[in-house]
Amino acid sequence: MGTKAKKAMKKNMKRASSNKPSEGADFLPLEGGPARKLAEQKPPENTSTVLYVSRIPHGFYEKEMEGYFGQFGTIKRLRIARNKKTGKSRHFGYIEFESPEVAKIVADTMHNYLLFEHLLQVHVVPPENVHSRLWRGFSYRHKPLDYVQIERKRHDKERTLEEHKKLVERILKHDQKRRKKIEAAGIDYESPEIMGNIQPAPKKIKFDD
């Protein structure tokens, strides 16, 4: 082997040794140079404090939930979804703890927990998925609206002559539809006449000044 060949082989050996990856390297650079190691990425910290709880059994309401889940840690807010008209529970709700660690422990512990023949479903809600109006108007002392009383006031309110006339026209129109349905069904029935369609009761008249 000639001297030139020996020199060329030594150069190739040096290049190969310089490109040898260092210990613990994650990747090699594209154009020579020492290998580099990626920085260790820490897992994202859990900062969510809100839990979604579903399949809540009947009778397990705000006070019961606060007493039960309060064993894990301090509860900031708690809300059960309710029907606006009846005020009955819709069997799901939200709990907000002060500590995200407590919220995670509760989710891991109480998920699929059998309570009054119901398997609770408990999930951590990410902060970006918490609606801005979630806690708007929440109250432990929920008092549903008395729609019977509201409708009674609406029905018994004082009306002007014009308002009473429109009310009577609407009632007569509905009565005519009912009569046509009875005749179409082949039923021989004489519907009674609607009384009071000419003049309203004096106590319900509201005269203009």
Side-chain angles (χ1 to χ4, degrees):
M1 183 182 291
T3 55
K4 290 184 179 180
K6 288 182 180 180
K7 288 181 180 180
M9 188 172 64
K10 287 181 179 180
K11 287 182 180 181
N12 292 334
M13 293 288 290
K14 287 182 180 180
R15 287 178 182 177
S17 62
S18 63
N19 291 335
K20 184 179 179 181
S22 59
E23 295 181 359
D26 291 323
F27 68 95
L28 293 174
L30 295 176
E31 297 180 357
R36 300 178 183 178
K37 188 175 182 179
L38 293 174
E40 294 183 1
Q41 295 182 354
K42 296 182 179 180
E45 296 181 358
N46 177 33
T47 59
S48 179
T49 58
V50 180
L51 295 179
Y52 168 76
V53 185
S54 62
R55 300 185 185 178
I56 300 173
H58 176 70
F60 197 63
Y61 300 141
E62 286 87 353
K63 290 184 179 179
E64 291 78 9
M65 289 184 66
E66 186 178 16
Y68 187 83
F69 288 99
Q71 302 175 89
F72 294 92
T74 306
I75 295 176
K76 290 179 64 177
R77 290 177 288 192
L78 185 149
R79 181 172 193 171
I80 292 180
R82 291 182 176 272
N83 187 292
K84 291 183 179 180
K85 290 187 176 181
T86 63
K88 292 183 179 180
S89 171
R90 297 175 62 187
H91 304 288
F92 72 90
Y94 299 88
I95 306 175
E96 183 180 10
F97 289 91
E98 285 190 350
S99 171
E101 290 79 10
V102 174
K104 187 176 185 308
I105 291 173
V106 174
D108 295 339
T109 307
M110 298 303 300
H111 183 61
N112 285 330
Y113 185 82
L114 184 63
L115 184 67
F116 297 114
E117 300 181 359
H118 286 253
L119 283 175
L120 291 180
Q121 301 296 304
V122 185
H123 302 281
V124 177
V125 182
E128 61 272 13
N129 293 342
V130 177
H131 200 278
S132 58
R133 299 177 62 183
L134 175 62
W135 305 108
R136 182 178 178 181
F138 89 100
S139 175
Y140 291 170
R141 299 178 180 179
H142 179 80
K143 186 178 180 181
L145 294 175
D146 188 355
Y147 281 88
V148 175
Q149 185 68 19
I150 294 173
E151 183 62 23
R152 184 182 292 114
K153 287 183 179 180
R154 188 194 67 81
H155 181 271
D156 296 342
K157 72 175 183 178
E158 294 183 356
R159 295 181 174 85
T160 62
L161 291 174
E162 187 66 24
E163 290 175 344
H164 180 77
K165 184 180 179 180
K166 290 181 180 180
L167 176 64
V168 172
E169 288 177 354
R170 188 165 60 250
I171 293 174
L172 291 175
K173 186 177 180 181
H174 179 73
D175 182 64
Q176 289 177 0
K177 288 183 179 180
R178 182 172 60 87
R179 291 170 184 263
K180 289 180 181 179
K181 287 182 179 180
I182 293 174
E183 292 177 2
I187 301 174
D188 186 12
Y189 175 75
E190 186 178 352
S191 301
E193 295 293 333
I194 297 178
M195 304 299 294
N197 58 348
I198 299 174
Q199 182 72 17
K203 62 180 180 179
K204 298 299 179 184
I205 301 176
K206 183 179 180 181
F207 295 98
D208 297 329
D209 296 334

